[in-house]
Amino acid sequence: MNTNGGRSRIRALRRSRPRRWRRMAQKKYLQAKLTQFLREDRIQLWKPPYTDENKEVGLALKDLAKKYSDKLECCENEVEKIIEEIRCKAVERGTGNENYKTTGMATIEVFLPARLRKDRKKLLETRLHITGRELRSKIAETYGFQENYIKIVINKKQLQLGKALEEQGVTHNVKALVLELKQSEEDVRRDFQVHEEEQNEAEQKERRIQRTKRGLEILAERAETVDPETTPYLEIANQTGRSIRIPPSERKALTLAMGYHEKGRAFLKRKEYEIALPFLLDADRYFCECCRELLDTVDNYAVLQLDIVWCYFRLEQLECLDDAEKKLHLAQNCFKNCYGENHQRLVHIKGNCGKEKVLFLRLYLLQGIRNYHSGNGEEAREYLNKARQLFKELYIDPSKVHNLLQLGFTAQEARLGLRACEGNVDHAATHITNRREELAQIRREEREKKRRRLENINSLKGMGYSTHAAKQALHQASGNLDTALKILLSNPYLWLSDFGPETNSHRESPSQENIDQLVYMGFDTVVAAAALRVFRGNVQLAAQTLAHNGGSLPPDLQLAADDSSTPSTSPSDSASPSDSASPSDSVSPSDSAGTSSASTDEDMEIDAVNEILEDIPEHEEDYLDSTLEEEEIIIAEYLSYVENIKAATKEN
C-alpha cells in the first residue's frame, strides 16, 4: 500500500441522472440564491410583516416573491413557494430555540435515506445527555428502521453508541445523516421472503464491516515484525514505490487511516456508498492523529477529502455539501503542499503530472457542484469549465488503448501510460516498460531490506530483548545492528518495561548454575544474582549488561533488582495443584475445547486479513486510473444547469 497510491478507482456510471435529481438540483440552487438575497436585504422572515402573530404567512411575502422573481427572471409561484419553505423552517427553528431554552429539549435535523424522496428531512427532539445508542434507537423507532441496520453521521463523524451526545459535540439544531444498510421497508411489508433476504443481507454487511475493522487492526500490528515472504502485511511507500521510515508512534495511525481509506474506496467502486462512508470517516479520524508535516508530504489525505465529498454527492445528501467547501479547500492545499506550486515537485519525482490531473478534474467538478448548490452560478460555471477542459486533455482514444493491449499491456497500464505521455502510443509503451522494470527492481531491494531488518530483529530477540525493544533500537540506529545493540545496552529504559511489575510476582530466585556461569565470566556473585533476578534468569542479557557497565548494574536496574528481591508471594501461593500436576493430568476437555476455539479464532483472523488484501489493488497508481465516463456525464449535466438556469426555472 503506497502513500500516493494503492487505492481503488470508482467505476463510471453509464446512464444519466433521473429528472427528479435535476429538479432537486435546480431547487437547491434557487434556495441558495434566495437565501443570499434575504441576507443581503436583512429580511427576517420569522417576524412581521412576513409572519403574523399566529406564525402564519403574512401578505408581504407575496410582494417579496414578486421582487425576487423579477430579479432572477423566473417563475413567481416557484419563488414564493421556496420563500415560504424558508420562512417555515425559520419559524420552526425559532420555536425549537425557545423550547430548548425552557425545557432543555434539543432539536436535531434528521436527513433520511434517499429512497424516502420528499419525506427525507425531519426534526427530532431529544435530550443531549442520552447515549448514541439511545438516539439510534429513537430514530429507528420514530422513522421505521431496524435499529441494528442503520448508522448515523453527525458533525461529519460516525456517532459513537457508547458515549453521551454532548460528549460527542452534538448540540441543538445539529444535522444528522442516517445511512441504511438494507433496502426499503415497503418491500418488507409486501413480501416476507424479501424481508428475510434483506435482513440477512444487512447482517452480512454489518459483519463484513466488523470483520474489515478487525483485519485492518491485525495488519497494522504486523508491520515490520513478520517475514514478508510468508506473512502479508501493509507497507507505506513514497511516490516512487520505496518504503519510508515513519515514527512508530504515528505508523499505526497512518496504516489504519490508509487501510480504512482503501476499504472505503473499494465499496465506492462497487457503489455501496452507505457502507463506504463510515470507512472513509474512520480513515479521516485516523489521519487526524498524524502530524501535519506528514500529511503535507503525501496526497492520501487530499484524495480522502475528495472521496468523502463524492460519497455525499452520490448519496444525494445535498445538505451535507455545505461542509464540502472546507474539505475541498483542504484537499486543494494538501495537493499544493504535496505536489508543489504548479506541480514542480511531482514532475521532479515522476517526470510528469499527466496522471494526477485526474484528481484535479474531480476537485474542479466537485467545486463546481458545491458552488452551484450554494447559488454561485458564475463560480460554478468557472470550475465546471476547468473540469471540462481537463477532461478534453485527459480523454483517451480507445484505438490507442487497443494498440497497447496488443503489445501485452493491461488496459489500466495503457490509460495511465497514455496520460503520462500526452497520448503518444510509442512513448507510452516505453514509459510502461520502464516503470515495470523500475518497480521490479524496487520490490527486490525492498524485500532484501525487509529480510535484513527481520534478521536483525530476530538477532536481538535471540539475545533476550523483546520485539518492541528491538524495533525501537533499530529505528534509532537506522537499521544498524551493532549500533542498535549499543543503544539497548546504554539505555535500559528502552526494554526495562518488558520486565515490568506485572511479572514481578512470578520471579524465582536465579539458579545456582546460572550464577556460576556469570561468576566464571568474572562477575561478582552478588551482582550476578541481582542481574539474573532483573532479567528473570536470562544469562545473555545479564552478561551483556554487566560487561557493558564495567561489572555492575546501572542505577535503574539496581532499583529493579532491589524490588525483585522482596518476596511478593505467600507460601500458599508458591505451590498449587496445577503446578505439581503431570503433563497427562493437565489435559482436560476444557483445554481441548480451548484449542479448538483458538483454531477457529485464527481462521477468522485469516479470513479478515484476506478480505482486506483482496481490496488492495496491485498497481500502485490504481487510484489515478479512471475512464472518466461518469465525470463526463456529470460535467455535462451541471453545465446544462448553469447555462439554462433561467430557462429551467421558468419551465418549472
Side-chain angles (χ1 to χ4, degrees), residues 343 346-356 416-417 419-421 431 621:
H343 307 163
L346 183 65
V347 173
H348 175 73
I349 294 172
K350 288 190 169 184
N352 66 82
C353 61
K355 292 170 284 190
E356 279 71 17
L416 292 170
R419 285 182 180 138
C421 300
H431 173 83
E621 292 182 329

Side-chain angles (χ1 to χ4, degrees), residues 523-589:
F523 301 116
D524 179 78
T525 304
V526 175
V527 175
L532 287 169
R533 281 197 299 272
V534 171
F535 301 122
R536 287 184 289 167
N538 189 307
V539 176
Q540 280 185 301
L541 273 184
Q544 291 169 14
T545 304
L546 292 175
H548 185 75
N549 290 277
S552 62
L553 284 173
D556 289 345
L557 297 188
Q558 287 179 13
L559 291 174
D562 293 340
D563 291 341
S564 66
S565 64
T566 303
S568 56
T569 58
S570 64
S572 61
D573 295 329
S574 62
S576 66
S578 61
D579 293 331
S580 58
S582 66
S584 60
D585 293 335
S586 64
V587 178
S588 67

Side-chain angles (χ1 to χ4, degrees), residues 78-109:
E78 181 73 11
V79 171
E80 183 178 354
K81 182 179 177 182
I82 293 176
I83 293 178
E84 171 60 7
E85 289 179 4
I86 296 173
R87 187 195 72 84
C88 289
K89 185 175 180 180
V91 171
E92 284 180 351
R93 182 178 287 265
T95 303
N97 290 342
E98 293 174 6
N99 188 42
Y100 180 61
K101 289 178 182 178
T102 56
T103 68
M105 291 291 288
T107 300
I108 294 180
E109 197 170 2

Side-chain angles (χ1 to χ4, degrees), residues 284-304:
D284 197 27
R285 176 165 59 90
Y286 280 110
F287 268 123
C288 289
E289 295 180 13
C290 301
C291 66
R292 185 76 251 173
E293 293 76 14
L294 179 61
L295 297 182
D296 285 341
T297 62
V298 296
D299 62 4
N300 300 66
Y301 193 50
V303 176
L304 174 64

Side-chain angles (χ1 to χ4, degrees), residues 458-471:
N458 288 334
S459 295
L460 292 174
K461 286 172 64 179
M463 298 176 192
Y465 297 105
S466 69
T467 300
H468 175 72
K471 284 175 58 181

